[in-house]
Amino acid sequence: ELARDLSYLIEQAAVTGNGFQKPLGVLTASADGINTDRDYSGGTTATTFTFETFIGAKYNMKSQYRNRARWMLNRTHISNIAQIRSESGGAPNTGSFLWQPSMQVGSPDIMLGLPVDENEFFPTATGTGTYFGILACWEYYVFAVGLDMEVQRCVETRASKNQIEYVARAKIDGMPTLSEAFTRLKFV
């Protein structure tokens, strides 16, 4: 349970961390990580996006990174994307769905030929300037582990309540190492 709880903290910091006593997150604009020139908001408003948003974001990334990239969004936005239809059917909402759900258990859903990952730590909020997703070549997000997780068992600290306290420690850092291997999706 401690390892699972620690992994949640690490994952959350890798998404939204500010780099101070935690990893530098991919949704934190920084000259040390991902610059704001990697933000893409074509086709968005303050509250909506179109499928053209994702087409533009895909081709905002160089092919050498794009071929190994993956989308990452919160499930709320993934649900909204999965409901987008082409208008080739004539009337609105009669065309085919543009989302390609996985046909095999354990395989990711596909959008524009690239895998889609769901992450609960990505924002569900909308509004001007809000990041809502990323297209990332994750090879260029690097973690450094300075100390494997160690656990200390403290029997006496909660003895009056008949409880045992555990303290876990780990020294872990992380950051994007190449800005151009990422494209952040942002509402205008």
Side-chain angles (χ1 to χ4, degrees):
E1 278 188 44
L2 285 173
R4 185 192 67 226
D5 291 347
L6 183 60
S7 72
Y8 290 154
L9 293 172
I10 294 168
E11 182 180 1
Q12 183 176 21
V15 172
T16 60
N18 62 8
F20 180 72
Q21 306 249 339
K22 62 180 84 167
L24 180 59
V26 293
L27 296 185
T28 301
S30 170
D32 294 328
I34 303 173
N35 297 318
T36 55
D37 65 348
R38 301 307 307 152
D39 296 349
Y40 186 83
S41 54
T44 66
T45 66
T47 59
T48 61
F49 46 76
T50 64
F51 205 70
E52 288 79 7
T53 302
F54 299 96
I55 293 170
K58 178 179 177 180
Y59 292 102
N60 187 48
M61 182 181 281
K62 292 180 180 178
S63 65
Q64 65 213 44
Y65 310 116
R66 185 175 62 234
N67 295 334
R68 298 183 312 270
R70 301 174 73 93
W71 300 99
M72 186 173 283
L73 301 109
N74 188 286
R75 63 188 158 102
T76 302
H77 293 308
I78 289 174
S79 173
N80 294 334
I81 296 165
Q83 296 175 46
I84 296 175
R85 295 177 184 241
S86 70
E87 298 301 330
S88 62
N93 296 323
T94 59
S96 59
F97 288 103
L98 298 171
W99 181 266
Q100 299 170 11
S102 174
M103 301 305 256
Q104 183 177 0
V105 174
S107 296
D109 294 332
I110 302 294
M111 181 170 58
L112 296 171
L114 299 171
V116 180
D117 296 319
E118 185 178 312
N119 188 308
E120 290 300 313
F121 298 112
F122 269 68
T124 58
T126 59
T128 302
T130 303
Y131 292 120
F132 66 93
I134 195 166
L135 178 61
C137 182
W138 291 106
E139 296 169 25
Y140 296 97
Y141 190 95
V142 177
F143 279 103
V145 179
L147 173 68
D148 289 334
M149 187 172 86
E150 56 183 37
V151 179
Q152 180 179 3
R153 183 174 184 245
C154 306
V155 180
E156 291 81 16
T157 57
R158 296 185 181 256
S160 65
K161 296 181 182 179
N162 201 24
Q163 296 176 340
I164 299 173
E165 181 177 359
Y166 293 91
V167 177
R169 291 183 184 86
K171 288 185 181 178
I172 298 171
D173 200 2
M175 67 180 287
T177 58
L178 185 64
S179 188
E180 66 184 20
F182 299 86
T183 295
R184 280 188 300 238
L185 300 165
K186 185 177 184 178
F187 289 111
V188 178

